[in-house]
Amino acid sequence: MSALVVENLVAGYGDARVLHGVDLTVGEGEICAILGPNGAGKTTLLRALSGVIRTRGKVRLDGTDLAGRSADAIARLGVAHVPEGRGTFMPLTVEDNLRLGAFVRRGKAAIEEDLERIHTYFPVLKTRLKQAAGSLSGGEQQMLAIGRALMLRPRLLLLDEPSLGLAPLVTRELFRIVRAINEEERTTVVVVEQNAHLALGIAQQAHVLETGRIVLSGTAQQIRDDEQVAQSYLGYRV
């Protein structure tokens, strides 16, 4: 069953069109990697899915039409977006940032349970609850951003360049946690990532964007093992 279905998606900024008729599907509980060079439209795609920018075309999540809805309405339908740069509220405490992730939810007891659940994935956050988010390291801030998104209990988690600015060891641990979240909670994930090798290592499927169009789709294994694809689109040798 497909959780996310995108058909002929067009989006951009003002008169500048960035996406030119994107089509893709993501299966329920899958991780989908969106790859491609800088300027290909990857970030714009996630913004379009979360309602941050205006779009044309069809976007359906579990059969519900998202097209034309506001970002707030899409969040209420279970779409959590972790933007490039994390979007952390630096002056607020770690705990306040996490609780903001549940702003559309009701039920105090369930929210408290989810705070503890987040701490099982990111134990370091429990030791930093009363610290200002701006005092955290880059890796800790990315963990906080993902933890805040999980407080929504999302059906679809959108991650934009989660490894940006992080040390390789921290990045590998972060991707391990994302895979654990996907496996344990069956959360559908779409991840935009420059580190193609790591993204393909946790994804079931992948799409390569170039100048606002999908030029290649397949299983993560197929794309990872194709030397010509790796050199042409992903910037590394198999």
Side-chain angles (χ1 to χ4, degrees):
M1 181 180 296
S2 296
L4 177 67
V5 178
V6 178
E7 297 177 355
N8 196 30
L9 184 64
V10 175
Y13 308 93
D15 295 330
R17 184 179 294 184
V18 178
L19 301 181
H20 306 275
V22 169
D23 297 290
L24 62 86
T25 61
V26 183
E28 184 176 356
E30 285 188 341
I31 298 178
C32 172
I34 305 295
L35 310 172
N38 289 332
K42 303 186 299 298
T43 290
T44 299
L45 174 60
L46 295 195
R47 290 174 177 171
L49 296 179
S50 62
V52 176
I53 59 176
R54 291 185 177 182
T55 65
R56 295 203 316 269
K58 295 182 179 179
V59 179
R60 294 192 296 275
L61 178 64
D62 296 332
T64 300
D65 191 4
L66 304 185
R69 298 179 186 261
S70 67
D72 177 71
I74 290 175
R76 292 178 186 277
L77 289 170
V79 178
H81 184 182
V82 180
E84 182 180 357
R86 302 165 192 135
T88 304
F89 297 95
M90 297 296 189
L92 300 183
T93 66
V94 168
E95 182 177 4
D96 286 342
N97 269 272
L98 289 172
R99 290 186 182 278
L100 279 173
F103 77 102
V104 302
R105 296 178 53 194
R106 295 182 179 179
K108 183 176 179 180
I111 291 172
E112 295 303 320
E113 289 176 4
D114 283 344
L115 276 173
E116 290 303 315
R117 179 175 60 92
I118 300 308
H119 296 154
T120 65
Y121 291 121
F122 306 111
V124 67
L125 296 182
K126 190 169 186 177
T127 69
R128 306 277 199 273
L129 284 179
K130 301 305 178 183
Q131 285 185 221
S135 69
L136 302 181
S137 69
E140 291 167 348
Q141 287 184 28
Q142 189 61 272
M143 292 176 187
L144 175 58
I146 295 174
R148 185 185 62 216
L150 292 177
M151 287 296 294
L152 181 66
R153 278 201 169 270
R155 296 149 65 191
L156 174 63
L157 178 62
L158 307 175
L159 301 176
D160 194 354
E161 300 286 6
S163 74
L164 187 67
L166 303 184
L169 185 63
V170 176
T171 298
R172 287 194 294 272
E173 174 63 9
L174 196 64
F175 273 72
R176 183 194 67 77
I177 294 169
V178 170
R179 178 156 54 185
I181 291 166
N182 166 258
E183 291 175 348
E184 294 171 14
E185 306 196 19
R186 302 305 299 161
T187 303
T188 304
V189 180
V190 176
V191 55
V192 161
E193 178 55 53
Q194 283 292 328
N195 190 325
H197 182 73
L198 275 178
L200 292 171
I202 67 168
Q204 286 81 40
Q205 62 160 299
H207 302 277
V208 178
L209 264 178
E210 187 175 49
T211 61
R213 295 177 174 85
I214 289 181
V215 295
L216 184 69
S217 298
T219 68
Q221 188 70 42
Q222 288 170 337
I223 291 177
R224 183 171 52 197
D225 291 347
D226 190 316
E227 183 170 2
Q228 183 175 354
V229 168
Q231 292 185 47
S232 299
Y233 296 111
L234 308 182
Y236 68 88
R237 299 181 67 86
V238 173

